[in-house]
Amino acid sequence: MRLRLLPSSFDDSGQMSDRQHLPCFILNGKIAIDAGSLAFAVTAAERKAVRDIVLTHSHLDHIAGLPMFIDDQVSILERAVKVWASEQVINAIESHIFNWVIYPKFSEIKNQYGFLMEYREIKPEESFEIEEITFTPLKANHSVDSFGFVISDSKTSFAITGDTATLDDSFWQKVNSLGARNLLIECAFPNKLSKLAEDSYHLIPEILSGQIANFKGDGTV
């Protein structure tokens, strides 16, 4: 599997910077995991290929690029963009984004090929498959309904948490039992902002180090 983190910020010269405000990963050039910078940072080939978007949760930094990604391709989409998300996330973005006030309700709009967007509801620990990749959703610990995933193909497997605070034993047991070799775990704040991290359900390095100890994979963290 090939995983690419899209850039989401630029320095004074207009070059990509290492500040990451809007999370979005592209898997195998075809699948987006979250959509923060999706509309702004994909390559031309990825823009044509990505037709499945898997959302961890509904916060703006993780969905910001979704409306414009579809909008940019309204006339050329030959099949609907599938948005894979929990019922709570689907309800949130339908109520607050795709509501005809903030943005058109793309799930109700067709071009010459059919509907522009459709939803696929995901549920905890119920695996689903996209492009021969298996996703197993696991509940994360965030201020809104949020998932992490164990993502597997025939050769390897990795886990990604999305935004999260401390994860319980059941999360790690499932990650380890599914054989995840590598881990991408979110850490939003430095130790000196521990209160802010706690209030917003994020990790700091001090707590992250304890979380990593639960991971049994033999690859990278």
Side-chain angles (χ1 to χ4, degrees):
M1 286 186 285
R2 304 184 315 278
L3 190 69
R4 187 168 85 90
L5 175 63
L6 296 188
S8 67
S9 64
F10 302 87
D11 61 24
D12 292 341
S13 66
Q15 300 299 308
M16 292 181 294
S17 78
D18 59 2
R19 296 181 65 84
Q20 194 68 35
H21 302 293
L22 303 172
C24 182
F25 294 89
I26 302 295
L27 180 62
N28 288 352
K30 294 182 177 181
I31 304 167
I33 303 171
D34 283 332
S37 57
L38 180 61
F40 324 118
V42 287
T43 65
E46 289 167 343
R47 191 180 302 279
K48 291 180 179 179
V50 171
R51 294 295 179 263
D52 292 274
I53 301 169
V54 182
L55 298 179
T56 60
H57 65 292
S58 60
H59 279 159
L60 184 60
D61 53 329
H62 291 256
I63 66 167
L66 175 59
M68 284 162 282
F69 177 77
I70 298 172
D71 198 359
D72 285 345
Q73 305 183 86
V74 163
S75 64
I76 63 171
L77 283 173
E78 295 186 5
R79 68 178 179 91
V81 174
K82 294 178 183 176
V83 177
W84 302 76
S86 70
E87 179 182 12
Q88 292 90 335
V89 172
I90 293 170
N91 289 340
I93 61 178
E94 280 285 281
S95 297
H96 303 295
I97 303 295
F98 299 113
N99 58 7
W100 295 111
V101 177
I102 302 300
Y103 233 75
K105 192 180 284 283
F106 285 139
S107 61
E108 296 180 355
I109 299 176
K110 293 181 178 180
N111 65 8
Q112 67 269 37
Y113 303 106
F115 285 106
L116 301 177
M117 182 177 74
E118 58 186 50
Y119 293 105
R120 292 288 187 269
E121 183 182 340
I122 61 179
K123 298 180 179 180
E125 299 187 22
E126 291 189 10
S127 298
F128 57 94
E129 189 170 298
I130 305 172
E131 298 281 349
E132 300 183 344
I133 304 292
T134 299
F135 291 74
T136 302
L138 303 176
K139 293 289 286 186
N141 178 17
H142 199 38
S143 54
V144 294
D145 190 62
S146 186
F147 280 124
F149 298 93
V150 174
I151 302 172
S152 310
D153 65 7
S154 59
K155 296 180 180 179
T156 191
S157 180
F158 71 92
I160 184 170
T161 67
D163 288 354
T164 190
T166 302
L167 294 155
D168 61 25
D169 289 343
S170 64
F171 178 92
W172 295 109
Q173 288 168 2
K174 193 67 177 179
V175 164
N176 292 326
S177 69
L178 289 170
R181 293 194 58 202
N182 301 288
L183 172 66
L184 283 80
I185 185 167
E186 180 269 344
C187 185
F189 296 104
N191 290 332
K192 65 182 180 181
L193 295 179
S194 60
K195 183 62 167 61
L196 178 58
E198 180 182 359
D199 290 345
S200 59
Y201 287 80
H202 287 281
L203 292 173
I204 58 173
E206 183 178 355
I207 296 176
L208 175 61
S209 63
Q211 291 282 278
I212 291 173
N214 295 303
F215 180 57
K216 306 305 180 185
D218 58 359
T220 57
V221 176

